[in-house]
Amino acid sequence: MKITIKEIAKLAGVSPGTVSKVLNNYHDVGEETKKRVLEIMEQTGYVAARIQKDTAHKSRVVGVIYAGEINADFNHPFFIEVMNSFKKTMGMFGYDLLFFSNEQFEEGEEDYYERSMRYKVDGVIIISGEKVQPSIYRLDMSDIPCIGIDIPLEGNRSAYIMTDNYKISAKVVEHFYLCGYRNIGYIGGLPGAQVTKIREQGFRNTMKEFGLTIHEEWFAQGDFFMESGYEAMKKILRSSYYPEAVFAASDLMAFGAMKAVKEHGLKIPEDIAIVGCDDIDACNYTDPPLTSVRQDKEKIGRLAAYMLRDIIHRQFQPKAVMVEPELIIRESCGSNRLYGMT
């Protein structure tokens, strides 16, 4: 039996007009209502059937590119959660994902644009990395719809999403200041990454706004992964004296930093407070639990799917979307010191 919009509306407890708005991605439908309607469509098979009928000429395939000579690949918790959300939402829209390899790019071989054309993908999601290949920007400037995660794109059929990385650092410095910390260190990510530059700029500028001294010997670079945070913290601890608090620009680097601090015979947060970024699940299970800046990974993934679908169907042309970060306070930053408490 063929299901209708009217029946979808009845199951979801909304009007047929609301179902139509969800199908056409109108922005005046609440997130909870939209999610409920889409879940019912997925359960009944309505979305896939409708899309197959309306756009039979499309490949129904979206390319996935982890950009850069150095990239997060499949093992970074932040991007795993973003991609899970993106995959689920694109699946509800009737799309499959095709992952592109970037391991053997040689001069004269097919680039991302040519491969996208060969596989006839309807669009592409591009995940930020370091030393981004020039072919990424050729793809960005083409007529192939592109959505970037943490990588600015400027093409006519491109858009991008990132958490407000400046605010991430600003929130951490402000929190440290309110906790009474004045001597603060910083562990940044991959030197060439756009995210790294923005977070460090936010950190330095906010330190200056609060009149705090910037100690260059307490600045170290990592690569967003655990081992680099461990080595960066050891470098900071070799200074003539160590900071009261350190912001590591990823949770994995913060985990490594915590290990280095403990090996040095110091306590967290009594000797050095530590804050990470991303708020991955493991933050709840470190000793002590790690304070972190939450990036709404599920929301970023869903936004990426909706925006890419809009570009593919030429319904709207979104550009840059900034997602608000949230500081999640746990014991690693000495939260009992907040606002002068003891």
Side-chain angles (χ1 to χ4, degrees):
M1 176 178 161
K2 182 180 177 182
I3 194 162
T4 65
I5 284 181
K6 191 173 181 180
E7 289 165 327
I8 293 287
K10 185 176 180 180
L11 289 170
V14 298
S15 69
T18 298
V19 175
S20 179
K21 286 183 177 182
V22 171
L23 280 169
N24 291 287
N25 201 27
Y26 281 74
H27 299 292
D28 58 346
V29 180
E31 284 299 317
E32 287 300 318
T33 299
K34 186 180 295 183
K35 184 178 180 181
R36 185 167 71 253
V37 170
L38 286 171
E39 285 176 349
I40 290 170
M41 288 179 179
E42 181 183 25
Q43 292 164 7
T44 59
Y46 181 85
V47 170
R50 179 183 185 273
I51 292 174
Q52 186 176 9
K53 177 182 176 182
D54 292 348
T55 58
H57 63 287
K58 297 287 187 180
S59 72
R60 314 306 306 160
V61 173
V62 167
V64 180
I65 298 172
Y66 283 75
E69 294 178 21
I70 304 173
N71 56 69
D73 216 347
F74 302 103
N75 58 348
H76 195 289
F78 169 75
F79 290 114
I80 289 172
E81 293 187 48
V82 170
M83 281 307 303
N84 281 341
S85 175
F86 177 81
K87 175 177 69 69
K88 180 179 179 181
T89 308
M90 291 306 298
M92 292 169 66
F93 294 153
Y95 288 86
D96 290 318
L97 303 186
L98 173 66
F99 287 82
F100 286 8
S101 168
N102 68 345
E103 301 304 323
Q104 297 186 25
F105 267 111
E106 300 289 346
E107 192 69 28
E109 289 189 359
E110 282 187 318
D111 64 14
Y112 286 127
Y113 171 73
E114 289 165 337
R115 291 157 81 185
S116 295
M117 293 296 290
R118 176 155 61 93
Y119 290 113
K120 297 181 174 61
V121 297
D122 292 340
V124 174
I125 181 171
I126 302 170
I127 310 297
S128 175
E130 185 189 7
K131 297 182 181 178
V132 173
Q133 303 96 332
S135 63
I136 288 291
Y137 298 107
R138 181 186 177 197
L139 179 61
D140 171 29
M141 301 310 292
S142 75
D143 196 47
I144 296 173
C146 296
I147 190 78
I149 303 294
D150 281 351
I151 179 172
L153 301 178
E154 299 179 353
N156 290 330
R157 300 199 70 196
S158 297
Y160 68 92
I161 308 164
M162 62 173 62
T163 302
D164 192 326
N165 287 286
Y166 191 99
K167 282 189 179 180
I168 284 175
S169 295
K171 283 176 178 286
V172 173
V173 174
E174 180 185 76
H175 178 69
F176 278 151
Y177 183 82
L178 290 171
C179 287
Y181 299 115
R182 298 296 180 264
N183 298 306
I184 305 171
Y186 178 80
I187 299 175
L190 291 166
Q194 182 77 7
V195 166
T196 298
K197 296 175 184 177
I198 298 172
R199 288 182 190 173
E200 182 168 336
Q201 182 183 34
F203 182 88
R204 289 180 178 275
N205 288 354
T206 310
M207 288 280 286
K208 291 176 182 177
E209 288 171 6
F210 283 108
L212 303 176
T213 301
I214 294 175
H215 298 269
E216 294 297 336
E217 66 270 26
W218 295 341
F219 274 69
Q221 296 295 142
D223 61 7
F224 293 118
F225 288 93
M226 201 175 307
E227 182 63 25
S228 71
Y230 175 74
E231 294 298 334
M233 192 70 224
K234 288 204 299 185
K235 172 183 176 292
I236 291 172
L237 291 172
R238 288 195 291 268
S239 304
S240 55
Y241 66 103
Y242 49 76
E244 301 172 291
V246 171
F247 172 40
S250 81
D251 289 334
L252 295 182
M253 291 195 300
F255 296 161
M258 293 172 81
K259 182 175 186 287
V261 168
K262 291 178 180 180
E263 287 184 356
H264 204 73
L266 301 173
K267 294 182 178 180
I268 304 168
E270 292 84 352
D271 297 312
I272 300 180
I274 295 179
V275 171
C277 178
D278 293 331
D279 192 43
I280 62 177
D281 288 342
C283 292
N284 292 294
Y285 302 102
T286 55
D287 182 23
L290 179 67
T291 293
S292 183
V293 185
R294 175 176 294 165
Q295 301 194 67
D296 194 335
K297 298 169 281 293
E298 196 274 337
K299 181 177 183 179
I300 291 172
R302 278 194 297 120
L303 278 171
Y306 273 95
M307 291 167 69
L308 185 57
R309 187 189 70 163
D310 280 350
I311 299 171
I312 289 170
H313 292 287
R314 300 181 184 270
Q315 291 176 315
F316 299 95
Q317 181 54 55
K319 292 308 293 182
V321 173
M322 292 290 175
V323 177
E324 186 75 15
E326 179 186 3
L327 183 67
I328 306 300
I329 301 172
R330 301 186 181 93
E331 286 86 344
S332 72
C333 64
S335 54
N336 62 333
R337 295 176 51 152
L338 189 59
Y339 305 112
M341 292 187 288
T342 57

